[in-house]
Amino acid sequence: MAPIENDPEAPVRAAGPAPDAAVDLTASAAVEVPPELVAQTLGQYLRGWWLRVRNGDSGVLPVVVGIVGIAIVFQVLNSRFLEPLNLVNLFSQSSIYMVLAMAEIFVLLLGEIDLSVGLVMGLAAVVVCELVQPTVPCSAASAAAVQCPPSGPGWPWWAAIVVTLLICAGIGLIQGSIIARLKMPALVVTLAVSLILEGVTFIILSSSGLVSLTSRRFANELALYNIFNGKFAPAVGWIALVVMAGAAAAWLWLRDSRRRRSGLVAPPAGLSLAKICVIAVAGVVVVVICNINRAHVGVIEGVPYIIPIVLGVLGLWTLLLQRTRFGRYVYAIGGNAEAARRAGVRLPVIRTWSFVLASVTAGVAGILFASWQVEITSNIIKTANTYVLLGIAAAVIGGTSLFGGRGKTLHGILGGLVIGMIYNGLYLLQVASWWIDVTTAGVLLAAAIVDVVSRRGATSGSVTRF
């Protein structure tokens, strides 16, 4: 049988209902084509998936196995690790790594790297806090008695968020244009931009030295504070789960059913049903854990706002990369930029927009960081420089390739969770901070080795690479 990628009738056979038209997933061509494109049944899909794993394309399997293993080890060493309070805190604290990793994935898919996302995050945190600072009049009489509170423009919280994200988009547009139009190395440009942002952040903080969201008397500060620290009532969490899971299930099922009825390539019905079940079970587990009272004194229960926010970013960017022409162009450039150019892809435009989206996503991380930390000082510079490395590490640990063309935003979620689990678990064990860094570096190195080995295995076991 001829290789599937060279057979124009392959899509017809893959979608055809006749038994003799089913694709033989034991053939070597199954390694080249994702099993959901050629499988007729769930069993065929699983066999095709296993062939790809054996050939080196392990997908998210290593990181999923790693998450389970890390959870077991830390639970054995400290029984508090899997308590509801720690699990909710773990996800909330990991959310910054997750969002930064999703920002970096836009650039990694191109085969580039962005060293500025950490400082974009830091600048966004400072700017959004500064913009919502209330305008507090301070008379001479009161000034003589007590120190005047810091005063700011007093913007509405939503306007502060919009302007902050626009500033981040502008940063991404500038550096993306320089990289794409002048063909300068992204490493050099983003490093220079990060140093500029470091200085700008210091300048903004130089007047007060501190910007905070500690005053509960002002509605705009309280709104930003609640982005990370607020939570839904338990009943609202269940209602939201039913709505979100129902919408996701309906979209998955109707999309795949419509493609099958139209004779187009579509995953088997069993796979669609399995995905729906996984979404439903995962949602129920999350809501149950969050609705357990997590307070030692009093009542703290409900799904934190941060969970649907991160899932919303994941869903939006997944649709953009997996279901739009822009996303296909990003993967094409990362796989083979010259082939993409000859196919008519406007490389400078796609590359520029990728850096814009990376900076906007980093801006979202900055807003979350400000809400989490509440008080922002000049220490944000050191933290931002650390977080950019952790964001890159999370993307690679999750399964995104450093060589471009392979990765999903889901990898940012998984990788960020791994890093968060390492930090959280070792902190519970009261391990020194430098050992936490050493452990994270070891996991990153292991993920990079898996990436290199899997690519070599996939290349040696294939006839044609896309």
Side-chain angles (χ1 to χ4, degrees):
M1 183 176 70
I4 281 181
E5 64 271 21
N6 297 326
D7 186 355
E9 295 299 320
V12 178
R13 292 203 306 272
D20 58 352
V23 175
D24 181 10
L25 292 182
T26 63
S28 61
V31 175
E32 293 298 321
V33 181
E36 62 268 22
L37 298 184
V38 294
Q40 299 296 301
T41 65
L42 183 59
Q44 287 183 349
Y45 170 83
L46 293 175
R47 288 194 295 273
W49 171 80
W50 180 243
L51 280 174
R52 292 172 65 85
V53 171
R54 290 176 57 186
N55 193 61
D57 188 2
S58 53
V60 299
L61 182 61
V63 68
V64 171
V65 172
I67 289 173
V68 174
I70 292 171
I72 293 174
V73 170
F74 282 133
Q75 178 64 18
V76 170
L77 296 176
N78 191 318
S79 60
R80 292 185 299 162
F81 185 76
L82 294 180
E83 289 183 353
L85 173 61
N86 191 62
L87 288 177
V88 175
N89 289 337
L90 168 61
F91 185 90
S92 298
Q93 294 163 7
S94 301
S95 62
I96 310 296
Y97 308 136
M98 295 175 181
V99 177
L100 269 184
M102 287 189 281
E104 196 67 44
I105 284 172
F106 279 104
V107 180
L108 289 176
L109 286 174
L110 298 174
E112 305 282 4
I113 196 166
D114 188 346
L115 296 180
S116 69
V117 293
L119 268 301
V120 172
M121 179 197 78
L123 179 65
V126 173
V127 169
V128 76
C129 286
E130 288 281 6
L131 291 178
V132 299
Q133 295 302 303
T135 302
V136 181
C138 189
S139 63
S142 62
V146 296
Q147 182 178 4
C148 293
S151 181
W155 283 26
W157 63 271
W158 57 268
I161 290 176
V162 170
V163 171
T164 299
L165 294 181
L166 288 176
I167 292 173
C168 295
I171 295 170
L173 179 62
I174 293 172
Q175 62 183 3
S177 299
I178 295 173
I179 294 167
R181 304 290 179 179
L182 301 182
K183 302 186 185 304
M184 292 183 62
L187 184 68
V188 174
V189 175
T190 57
L191 176 59
V193 170
S194 67
L195 295 175
I196 294 172
L197 296 180
E198 183 175 323
V200 172
T201 303
F202 267 123
I203 292 172
I204 296 175
L205 288 172
S206 62
S207 58
S208 61
L210 170 70
V211 59
S212 69
L213 303 172
T214 55
S215 178
R216 303 295 182 270
R217 295 184 297 116
F218 302 105
N220 292 316
E221 289 192 24
L222 182 60
L224 282 185
Y225 173 84
N226 283 333
I227 289 177
F228 194 95
N229 300 283
K231 55 189 178 299
F232 295 102
V236 175
W238 285 113
I239 294 172
L241 171 63
V242 171
V243 173
M244 295 175 63
W251 181 76
L252 280 172
W253 185 261
L254 293 175
R255 181 200 65 184
D256 295 343
S257 298
R258 183 171 60 251
R259 293 182 64 86
R260 282 189 288 269
R261 287 195 305 267
S262 302
L264 301 174
V265 175
L271 178 61
S272 302
L273 186 60
K275 290 180 180 179
I276 293 172
C277 291
V278 169
I279 292 173
V281 171
V284 169
V285 170
V286 169
V287 174
V288 168
I289 292 175
C290 292
N291 282 349
I292 296 175
N293 184 17
R294 306 185 292 274
H296 297 295
V297 178
V299 178
I300 300 178
E301 57 186 12
V303 178
Y305 294 162
I306 191 69
I307 291 181
I309 290 174
V310 173
L311 293 180
V313 175
L314 170 65
L316 180 61
W317 291 160
T318 298
L319 287 175
L320 179 65
L321 287 174
Q322 303 293 322
R323 300 295 172 187
T324 67
R325 182 180 299 177
F326 170 82
R328 291 193 294 271
Y329 288 169
V330 170
Y331 284 103
I333 294 172
N336 190 322
E338 179 59 23
R341 185 189 67 80
R342 294 185 178 185
V345 178
R346 299 169 62 189
L347 270 63
V349 174
I350 301 301
R351 282 176 168 154
T352 301
W353 273 107
S354 295
F355 278 92
V356 170
L357 292 171
S359 293
V360 169
T361 310
V364 174
I367 295 169
L368 299 181
F369 185 84
S371 179
W372 176 34
Q373 292 296 306
V374 181
E375 292 186 345
I376 305 296
T377 67
S378 59
N379 288 332
I380 186 68
I381 303 299
K382 179 181 178 181
T383 303
N385 285 321
T386 301
Y387 268 58
V388 64
L389 302 179
L390 293 176
I392 297 171
V396 176
I397 290 171
T400 300
S401 175
L402 284 168
F403 304 98
R406 191 171 70 187
K408 298 179 180 179
T409 46
L410 177 62
H411 295 163
I413 298 292
L414 298 176
L417 185 59
V418 168
I419 291 181
M421 292 174 72
I422 293 173
Y423 270 74
N424 181 274
L426 294 180
Y427 176 80
L428 288 178
L429 297 176
Q430 298 182 342
V431 175
S433 60
W434 53 82
W435 285 112
I436 297 177
D437 296 335
V438 169
T439 304
T440 304
V443 174
L444 172 60
L445 183 60
I449 292 173
V450 169
D451 180 28
V452 172
V453 172
S454 65
R455 289 181 68 89
R456 287 180 179 176
T459 302
S460 62
S462 64
V463 177
T464 303
R465 298 297 297 171
F466 293 98

